Amino acid sequence: MTGIVVLGSTNMDLVAYVAKAPQRGETVTGREFRTVPGGKGANQAVAAARAGGEVAMIGAVGTDDFGGRLRATLEVSGVDTDLLRTAEGPSGTAHIVVDDEGGNAIVVIPGANATVDHLTPGDETLIATANALLLQLEIPLGGVIAGAEAARRHGVRTVLTPAPAQPLPPELLAATDLLVPNEHEAALLAGVAEPLAAAEALLRQVPEVVITLGGAGSLYAARGMEPLTVAAPRVRAVDTTAAGDTFVGALAVALVEGRPMPEAMIWASTAAALSVQRPGASSSMPYRPEIDAEAQTRTRSAATRR
């Protein structure tokens, strides 16, 4: 059995580091440029694998040089890439500007990801072996829906990150078990800005919601239960590019291991806090021993304060 299957995007992140992001029509001088393997799907796969999960990736890379690097990055992190397709043409790219506050602005060009609009032979078989299927919205909606519905047919838990934010079709919501938006995505989907109100609105469409709140932590809500908020560690952010994907990957591992949601959220927020203290996307993601050590430190610190 494969613990976690990720159906999603692979992108090469082209990252420019600047003191302040340019406004429209403005040119600024940056201090550094990096190419870093990323994409929300690949990021979540790497995060989950480094957090100790057994992970397989379904998606596509191109026939360019980036494609080989993207595949190799997944494999080095322990992700099974047997069903990662190679599509003729360029790989997906993400053009990212990171400022000195750790904030970012991103333009994604799908490339090979645009071909992942359906399941191919073997995809559903792999999904059926999983405990959880992780989905995002950087591949065509047709592919996302096909994956979610396959998971539903086989009783596999679906975890959807609704990013980039867009209206979600009813058939996708019907096949989603856990929705994990950030606060901006939650507000867009729910039509209300306040996170708790947004969560309550979203529960009319899906059974469980975790809203990530950046430095303020995360909020969990489920039908028939009292909402729960978990604080995030206080750290100095260097680059927040992959924080949400790190959180989701680690959260999935904790849930597959059978941890209760509060404990899973604390562990996932610890992983995300470690990632934002380093530059890059997949390159910033922590390994399980780091997460465990930091989580233990947080627990001891909390006990001392009490």
Side-chain angles (χ1 to χ4, degrees), residues 196-216:
L196 182 57
E200 291 172 347
L202 292 172
L203 288 180
R204 293 195 285 270
Q205 303 177 78
V206 296
E208 292 181 282
V209 177
V210 172
I211 300 176
T212 58
L213 306 171

Side-chain angles (χ1 to χ4, degrees), residues 194-239:
E194 198 280 318
L196 182 57
E200 291 172 347
L202 292 172
L203 288 180
R204 293 195 285 270
Q205 303 177 78
V206 296
E208 292 181 282
V209 177
V210 172
I211 300 176
T212 58
L213 306 171
S218 53
L219 167 68
Y220 172 66
R223 293 170 181 169
M225 296 179 60
E226 287 295 317
L228 166 74
T229 299
V230 169
R234 292 187 176 183
V235 298
R236 183 184 180 279
V238 172
D239 184 353

Side-chain angles (χ1 to χ4, degrees), residues 13 46 254 297:
D13 292 346
V46 169
T297 299

